[in-house]
Amino acid sequence: MIADDWCFACGRANPLGLRLEISQDNEGVFTTFQFQKNHQGWNNIVHGGIISTLLDELSTWAAVKLGHNVVTAQLIVKFKKPITIGTYVRVFAKVTEDKGRLIYAKSQIESLDKTILYATGLATLSVIR
């Protein structure tokens, strides 16, 4: 898949995007992110759609970094704790299963010190051939 620099989550050309910088280690992919006022849903609380976007993006990148071209078929999000505007988080994802045409990934948003779990995601990703 050819990267498009206009991706809302990771694109550098999109002036309204999140501009995530995604890194990889032996366990999966990760990024850090600080929520701003324009990510707000309810009063001083991060919008669930932005949280879901982060989980979706990292799940996809976990598969891409392993050489798969994928799109999200399903994303199940569990919101564990509200995230307030200004909070700086770590987002992590890893592939848990490869079934050929379907890839499964787990993702999570947590505090930088990994003591608070804010949200988790289970993604089913369809391989594009």
Side-chain angles (χ1 to χ4, degrees):
M1 181 178 288
I2 298 173
D4 182 347
D5 211 27
W6 275 88
C7 173
F8 174 75
C10 68
R12 306 309 288 169
N14 188 334
L16 300 176
L18 302 178
R19 298 182 178 194
L20 299 176
E21 293 185 21
I22 299 162
S23 301
Q24 183 177 16
D25 63 18
N26 291 336
E27 296 190 28
V29 295
F30 63 93
T31 192
T32 56
F33 188 76
Q34 185 175 30
F35 295 100
Q36 305 298 317
K37 190 71 171 170
N38 60 322
H39 304 132
Q40 180 174 304
W42 189 249
N43 187 23
N44 206 38
I45 302 295
V46 176
H47 193 283
I50 297 295
I51 292 168
S52 299
T53 297
L54 290 171
L55 295 169
D56 177 49
E57 185 73 6
L58 272 286
S59 294
T60 301
W61 272 102
V64 167
K65 292 287 190 176
L66 294 177
H68 302 286
N69 292 323
V70 296
V71 294
T72 304
Q74 180 178 16
L75 177 64
I76 300 169
V77 177
K78 290 187 179 178
F79 301 97
K80 303 286 192 176
K81 182 174 174 55
I83 306 173
T84 55
I85 299 303
T87 302
Y88 201 57
V89 297
R90 178 179 185 267
V91 188
F92 172 80
K94 67 178 181 179
V95 169
T96 57
E97 194 171 0
D98 180 346
K99 289 196 169 186
R101 297 220 14 103
L102 295 175
I103 307 291
Y104 298 90
K106 292 172 82 173
S107 56
Q108 63 188 43
I109 299 176
E110 60 193 1
S111 58
L112 291 180
D113 64 4
K114 301 180 184 180
T115 61
I116 302 169
L117 181 62
Y118 293 108
T120 62
L122 294 173
T124 303
L125 309 165
S126 293
V127 174
I128 301 169
R129 301 214 187 256

